[in-house]
Amino acid sequence: MFKRTSIATAIAAAIVMTAAPAAMAQTGTQVQTTATSVTAVDYKGAADAFLQANADQYGLQADLSDLAYVTTIDTNAGSYVRYQQTVNGAEVFYNQVTVTLNKSGKAIFAVSDYQPVTSVEQAKSKISENAAEAKAKDYNKVTKTNKLTSRKFGYTIENGVAVPTYKITTSTDDATWETYVHATTGKVLKNKDLNQKASGNVFLPNPVATAGTASGFTDNRDADTSALTNQLKAVTLLGLDGSGYLRGTYVNPTQKRKNVYSATNTFNYTRSQDEFEAVMSYYHIDSLQRYIQSLGFSNVNNRQITVNVNGTTQDNSWYSPSTKELTFGTGGVDDAEDAGIIAHEYGHSIQDNQVPGFGNTLEGGAMGEGFGDFLGATYEDALDGGQFKACIGEWDATSYASGNPPCLRYLNEDKVMPQDWYGEVHADGEIWSQAEYDLAQAIGRDAATRIILQSHFSLTPNSGFDDGGRAVKQADVLLNGGANAAAIDAAFNARGIATN
């Protein structure tokens, strides 16, 4: 829970790594291995046999003569053989078949875009590639491209008829058009922009931070004001799935379990509309995950997370370790209107993904709240240039705190273990968050966040402050050869947290 609960949120995740055998790791005993002869599996041959045996089911030709082998991809779990449908040796655009096999080479199932061909339209007077390109550019009003145009001859299938087609791809500064031109008539058969662009309005990170003051800003039951609307910023929403719905690679925000839809991929709302919080959640969580990956982590919460926007009337928000979902409340200022609050809750999801069960002690719970505050505060600083440093949730806090700005919590209270221990995870989280935040001030946000994320992998469900401090120190050894040891000692020891 974000604000008032004293129940520690589970924070952790499975770590997949290559390691020595358990006996060797625990005792240091030398383990001898014996080379074993392994017969290579002919995955393509097995896939061919599977498709031939099931040709009727998938509508394929019995001899697979119109399927061109593309590639075999091997993974730890299984292998995948891919084929391309062809007509007269030319590609049927986007029509492919994949066969999934287990490691022993047994085909499990196939996924097929294959379309049976009843006849082939003959291109008696095929137009030239140049003419097809001109048709495509004229259709999209393209006068200048920013890279070479791709031109390819193949087929599309309409009602069983293979139609000779040019696929023309033209790129401009703001679009990549893929245009299908009939190879005989020059008619544009299909046209789409490959760039799944979407725009929306958000607070970056919140109106108090961008205005530089809390004066004049109140929730007033989600009412719009010119002062609040003026703080909206236009952003590009990345990673959408192309369906028109506001959902993508890393985020699936829902309103009463339904997605926001726009036929034009335009999500421009103001705070009086419930859709606004969905856009806020999408943009800021997507941005945070992309930031994490930019630090070199492809295995930290790299998934699509469901967000229940405005999912409770409480002035509270939470991450659920059981459902793996986020829920944001509408009490006071809607929590999902403040990027710092969004980032904090996403922090719980990150730790649950890294170490399942983390936070089984009060210290662990405080570390979870502290990390969420660290993530939110440094994210806010990056967005607003550090307008209000060591403070999180300035806009959300206008409903329950005084000051200009008001803050949900602070990261500079100078609390020290054990004398300032209170026994409530949010209050005690200020001890942990300041250590992490001070480290970021000393060595930079990116370097500190990378070390902190790496350190989570060392923790267990019952880890406390001292375990965490030592893990941070050792993470720096792994990442940087211990180059930041002095800064880590200073930040954590000042809070009464051990690092050695």
Side-chain angles (χ1 to χ4, degrees):
M1 306 279 282
F2 188 83
K3 295 172 184 141
R4 300 191 178 91
T5 183
S6 62
I7 300 174
T9 304
I11 302 172
I15 310 164
V16 179
M17 62 179 68
T18 302
M24 182 177 178
Q26 294 172 7
T27 67
T29 303
Q30 185 175 2
V31 177
Q32 237 178 348
T33 59
T34 304
T36 303
S37 176
V38 178
T39 303
V41 177
D42 180 9
Y43 292 109
K44 180 184 178 299
D48 287 347
F50 176 81
L51 291 179
Q52 287 171 336
N54 295 279
D56 288 344
Q57 177 183 343
Y58 295 106
L60 307 175
Q61 293 185 18
D63 61 359
L64 309 183
S65 58
D66 60 349
L67 288 185
Y69 169 73
V70 178
T71 187
T72 300
I73 297 176
D74 296 318
T75 72
N76 290 333
S79 295
Y80 307 84
V81 180
R82 184 176 301 275
Y83 303 83
Q84 172 67 55
Q85 184 178 359
T86 63
V87 170
N88 294 333
E91 178 180 334
V92 177
F93 296 119
Y94 287 116
N95 285 24
Q96 297 187 351
V97 178
T98 61
V99 178
T100 299
L101 307 99
N102 62 23
K103 292 306 291 181
S104 64
K106 179 182 178 180
I108 301 171
F109 72 102
V111 176
S112 175
D113 301 325
Y114 183 91
Q115 292 179 274
V117 175
T118 57
S119 64
V120 179
E121 181 182 320
Q122 300 303 312
K124 297 179 181 179
S125 56
K126 190 167 68 171
I127 64 175
S128 68
E129 288 184 347
N130 288 339
E133 180 181 331
K135 291 282 186 181
K137 288 182 175 179
D138 181 64
Y139 187 87
N140 292 302
K141 297 179 173 57
V142 173
T143 58
K144 184 179 180 181
T145 60
N146 63 8
K147 58 178 67 174
L148 291 176
T149 299
S150 169
R151 308 181 300 189
K152 189 171 186 179
F153 175 78
Y155 288 87
T156 54
I157 299 176
E158 297 180 358
N159 300 318
V161 179
V163 179
T165 305
Y166 284 111
K167 183 175 72 172
I168 309 296
T169 306
T170 52
S171 297
T172 64
D173 289 336
D174 60 358
T176 299
W177 296 107
E178 186 174 85
T179 310
Y180 295 82
V181 179
H182 196 294
T184 298
T185 67
K187 177 184 177 181
V188 173
L189 302 174
K190 186 170 66 171
N191 186 68
K192 64 179 179 179
D193 184 358
L194 297 179
N195 295 349
Q196 294 295 335
K197 303 186 297 293
S199 62
N201 289 331
V202 299
F203 291 138
L204 284 177
N206 63 62
V208 174
T210 51
T213 179
S215 179
F217 293 118
T218 59
D219 178 58
N220 194 24
R221 298 184 178 180
D222 285 358
D224 287 325
T225 65
S226 58
L228 285 166
T229 301
N230 287 341
Q231 298 306 317
L232 293 174
K233 311 297 181 184
V235 296
T236 299
L237 304 174
L238 303 177
L240 293 175
D241 63 12
S243 66
Y245 288 99
L246 183 65
R247 65 181 179 222
T249 307
Y250 308 123
V251 199
N252 178 32
T254 63
Q255 295 273 1
K256 297 180 179 178
R257 296 294 174 178
K258 294 182 179 180
N259 294 99
V260 177
Y261 178 80
S262 170
T264 60
N265 271 353
T266 303
F267 300 93
N268 294 332
Y269 304 102
T270 60
R271 67 180 298 264
S272 65
Q273 299 168 284
D274 288 341
E275 294 88 349
F276 177 69
E277 287 80 32
V279 180
M280 282 285 294
S281 298
Y282 186 93
Y283 177 79
H284 291 296
I285 291 175
D286 179 83
S287 296
L288 283 162
Q289 178 56 220
R290 292 176 189 276
Y291 172 67
I292 289 169
Q293 293 192 34
S294 77
L295 297 178
F297 297 98
S298 61
N299 58 345
V300 175
N301 219 25
N302 185 354
R303 64 183 181 95
Q304 184 190 74
I305 186 169
T306 295
V307 182
N308 303 309
V309 179
N310 303 327
T312 175
T313 58
Q314 300 177 48
D315 188 11
N316 216 335
S317 297
W318 58 82
Y319 167 73
S320 169
S322 59
T323 65
K324 310 299 182 186
E325 297 178 355
L326 292 173
T327 298
F328 290 103
T330 61
V333 172
D334 294 353
D335 283 356
E337 285 188 22
D338 195 313
I341 307 296
I342 294 170
H344 174 102
E345 295 303 336
Y346 192 58
H348 288 310
S349 177
I350 289 169
Q351 287 190 302
D352 180 54
N353 182 258
Q354 288 191 274
V355 194
F358 181 78
N360 195 43
T361 63
L362 281 176
E363 283 193 15
M367 290 167 68
E369 297 299 334
F371 171 69
D373 285 356
F374 162 80
L375 191 70
T378 54
Y379 183 56
E380 288 182 354
D381 289 351
L383 291 177
D384 64 19
Q387 176 70 250
F388 299 122
K389 297 184 76 67
C391 171
I392 181 175
E394 300 92 346
W395 170 224
D396 183 74
T398 58
S399 295
Y400 50 79
S402 59
N404 194 4
C407 295
L408 168 64
R409 278 186 293 277
Y410 296 88
L411 292 87
N412 60 356
E413 294 278 63
D414 289 333
K415 294 181 178 179
V416 180
M417 286 289 286
Q419 54 263 43
D420 293 315
W421 178 259
Y422 183 71
E424 196 280 323
V425 291
H426 299 90
D428 297 328
E430 290 181 323
I431 302 172
W432 186 258
S433 66
Q434 182 168 350
E436 295 189 328
Y437 191 77
D438 285 350
L439 180 63
Q441 305 314 298
I443 66 174
R445 176 200 182 201
D446 292 357
T449 304
R450 185 180 293 112
I451 292 169
I452 290 164
L453 288 173
Q454 188 72 38
S455 75
H456 291 167
F457 289 123
S458 296
L459 303 179
T460 65
N462 293 310
S463 292
F465 282 179
D466 289 347
D467 297 317
R470 295 184 182 105
V472 169
K473 186 80 169 287
Q474 290 306 307
D476 181 56
V477 172
L478 293 173
L479 291 170
N480 310 301
N484 299 294
I488 292 169
D489 288 343
F492 284 84
N493 296 166
R495 310 271 69 79
I497 299 170
T499 52
N500 295 310

